[in-house]
Amino acid sequence: MRVALITDGIWPYVLGGMQKHSYYLCKYLAQKKIEVDLFHFNQSTYDISKLEFFSEEEKKFIKSFIVDFPKSFPLPGHYLRNSRNYSKLIFENIKDKLPSYDLIYTKGFSGWYLIDEKNKKNIRCASIGVKFHGYEMFQKPPDFKIKLQHLFLLRKPVQSISQKADLVFSYGGKITDIIKAIGVKEENIVEFPSGVEESTLAKSIKSVNGKIKFLFLGRYERRKGIEELNSAIKLFFNTSKNKNAEFHFIGPIPETKRLLIDGVNYHGEIRDKIKLQNLIKQSDILICPSWSEGMPNVILEAMANGLAVIATDVGATNVLVSEATGWLLKSSDPYEIQSAMDNALACGENEIEKKKQNGLNLISKNFTWEKLIEKFYQRFF
């Protein structure tokens, strides 16, 4: 069996949730001894030709095709134009190999030109599937500028590519609803979530001990809701009766976005995996107040480490977060975030620990890559 995996980069050569999904998809297909032609590019200081983040056995089944992502002067729409040009370069690299594939899996805009060519009947090949991370351009934007980008730049090409593809991959939850709403037939939608490796699952949850430790984990990005979270923390310390809590931020948060409040701690960006995992495990509740999402790796990883979760009901978040595993917010409103914090403190240590254990059990049962790739294998091979 042979698969073409056409990507907008893989982790850690390119950072991002979709890139991490691509890395694990490639890794576990190779473990199933499926030949993978990987089309990707590099935005890191690592030597991409070595593929050093795969094992020697995995690399026997991976053939790497490096296609540099085009660069241009940053005029309005430059990313979209560059993405279209990248998809043309991909097509030139893959067109002679098309008859050899059993499945073609494309990420984002990377298969744009290829999908157009098949739609025009200029080529014949196996089914082409496309996966856009969270269809964020069809979710609620955090500000007017981003709303204009969604309306006038991104929605039309994303809808067109999705309608023309043979298959559309979805993380599930509200993302599947979006895909249906933009005109993709239900029979063409394949729900394929993200996950964690079994080896990273916590053996047990940490008991709540003393102050409740809330955690935000990630980079600064407007749609991640850090401004709203900051407002909620200020409200919490100004008005909440029970202040038996600490707040911890892990990630490259700019100094201008940091709160100078006792009980709010910033750890910066942590690249050491063991140090990061240990710090996550010391926390109790992850807060993910995003305006839009796909299936957040940060939630998967937090639950795999035994944390309960407060998160907005966007993207595929509701596949993971429920009353059983945490608190699902209707919006990123600071008052709603603060209310969830208060509810967490009011529910008591036993209830928090129950939610932690439920989350860990959910990930262990349904969201490990070992289980996900088996379902994928049975579906397509």
Side-chain angles (χ1 to χ4, degrees), residues 2-4 37 39 65 94 97-104 126:
R2 194 177 184 198
V3 172
D37 281 6
F39 296 83
F65 295 88
I94 201 175
K97 306 176 188 67
L98 290 174
S100 67
Y101 298 123
D102 298 288
L103 176 67
I104 301 170

Side-chain angles (χ1 to χ4, degrees), residues 5-39:
L5 178 54
I6 303 174
T7 77
D8 48 2
I10 66 166
W11 177 90
Y13 305 103
V14 180
L15 300 181
M18 185 124 85
Q19 287 72 22
K20 187 167 280 191
H21 185 275
S22 296
Y23 165 75
Y24 283 114
L25 177 59
C26 184
K27 177 184 180 74
Y28 280 90
L29 285 174
Q31 287 188 15
K32 295 291 285 186
K33 302 189 184 307
I34 294 172
E35 294 181 67
V36 181
D37 281 6
L38 173 63
F39 296 83

Side-chain angles (χ1 to χ4, degrees), residues 58-69:
E58 289 162 359
K59 284 192 278 189
K60 291 178 182 178
F61 297 92
I62 303 170
K63 191 170 183 180
S64 174
F65 295 88
I66 302 164
V67 181
D68 291 334
F69 193 84

Side-chain angles (χ1 to χ4, degrees), residues 230 233-235 237-238 258-266:
N230 283 347
I233 292 173
K234 291 177 185 177
L235 287 168
F237 281 111
N238 288 334
R258 297 186 179 190
L259 299 174
L260 300 176
I261 299 174
D262 288 341
V264 182
N265 306 279
Y266 294 88

Side-chain angles (χ1 to χ4, degrees), residues 6-168:
I6 303 174
T7 77
D8 48 2
I10 66 166
W11 177 90
Y13 305 103
V14 180
L15 300 181
M18 185 124 85
Q19 287 72 22
K20 187 167 280 191
H21 185 275
S22 296
Y23 165 75
Y24 283 114
L25 177 59
C26 184
K27 177 184 180 74
Y28 280 90
L29 285 174
Q31 287 188 15
K32 295 291 285 186
K33 302 189 184 307
I34 294 172
E35 294 181 67
V36 181
D37 281 6
L38 173 63
F39 296 83
H40 60 144
F41 61 90
N42 193 8
Q43 286 183 337
S44 73
T45 57
Y46 297 115
D47 184 350
I48 196 170
S49 65
K50 294 180 179 179
L51 293 182
E52 66 264 50
F53 299 95
F54 296 94
S55 71
E56 291 304 314
E57 183 62 25
E58 289 162 359
K59 284 192 278 189
K60 291 178 182 178
F61 297 92
I62 303 170
K63 191 170 183 180
S64 174
F65 295 88
I66 302 164
V67 181
D68 291 334
F69 193 84
K71 296 180 180 179
S72 66
F73 193 78
L75 294 169
H78 74 283
Y79 174 74
L80 203 59
R81 289 190 295 273
N82 290 343
S83 295
R84 175 68 176 180
N85 290 334
Y86 177 62
S87 74
K88 287 183 180 179
L89 294 173
I90 293 283
F91 179 77
E92 292 303 318
N93 276 267
I94 201 175
K95 62 182 181 182
D96 294 334
K97 306 176 188 67
L98 290 174
S100 67
Y101 298 123
D102 298 288
L103 176 67
I104 301 170
Y105 193 123
T106 72
K107 291 293 193 82
F109 293 108
S110 61
W112 190 349
Y113 195 83
L114 175 63
I115 290 169
D116 276 350
E117 287 296 288
K118 187 176 185 184
N119 187 256
K120 294 173 184 175
K121 303 188 184 306
N122 292 335
I123 57 170
R124 296 180 65 184
C125 61
S127 293
I128 304 175
V130 64
K131 184 163 196 162
F132 285 96
H133 181 55
Y135 285 81
E136 284 94 341
M137 65 290 300
F138 295 99
Q139 296 186 44
K140 188 175 181 178
D143 58 41
F144 186 67
K145 179 181 178 181
I146 294 175
K147 181 177 182 178
L148 291 178
Q149 292 173 352
H150 289 176
L151 288 173
F152 296 106
L153 290 176
L154 297 174
R155 285 190 177 184
K156 185 176 180 179
V158 170
Q159 182 173 14
S160 174
I161 293 167
S162 300
Q163 290 176 345
K164 292 175 182 176
D166 300 306
L167 302 168
V168 177

